[in-house]
Amino acid sequence: MSELLAVAFITVLAVISPGPDFAMITRNSYAYGARSGLMSAFGIACGVQVHVIYTLFGIALLIVQSPLLFTLMKLAGAGYLVYLGWRSLRSHGALQVSEAHGAAPSPFAAWRSGFLTNALNPKTMLFVVATYTQLVQPGSPLSHGIGYGLFISAAHWLWFSLVALFFSAPPVRHRLLAYQRHVDRLLGVALIGLGAALAMTGITA
């Protein structure tokens, strides 16, 4: 029980802290509506499972201990965030709420944006590795590890679904879309800044 509570506490803190996932969900939800936001949230939850799976098989420890592999993964994630930010900066749309829904990406495209944002984020990798290596006791059944992974994904899905529903609510969307170019540029700068910070962050002991 203490192990479960520790995993739950750290997961909640990690999920609600602002980061690339939050910026991406905000953009997709206010610009395209609840469906895109919710599919992106589901993509984030699936992206978490990528980290969980290779952590359970011990691959994550190899990545952390190999500067080259970690750097390549870090740069891939940073590059994707910069790409998302650049797209937001270059957005010329003056969407209305009704038009935003029609211009929404396909459910798969929305899911993919959430999945890639999380799966390519080495900070999520380090969080999952730290959770499993520091909190889960050696000799714990594999079923416990799988259960913790499902809990971490569920926590991401629930939180970012709430974020998506908030930013896709009509009053919020009307207000944000009225200042869409400013919001797009703010989110674009935030995503590029996160990507740049991620690229420059070294491995800490």
Side-chain angles (χ1 to χ4, degrees), residues 128-151:
V128 174
V129 172
T131 298
Y132 277 84
T133 58
Q134 301 299 320
L135 297 179
V136 179
Q137 298 299 317
S140 294
L142 179 62
S143 60
H144 288 189
I146 295 174
Y148 295 146
L150 292 176
F151 173 81

Side-chain angles (χ1 to χ4, degrees), residues 86-109:
W86 179 247
R87 284 187 57 187
S88 189
L89 284 177
R90 289 177 55 84
S91 176
H92 301 296
L95 296 174
Q96 303 299 320
V97 173
S98 59
E99 295 172 347
H101 179 74
S106 68
F108 175 75

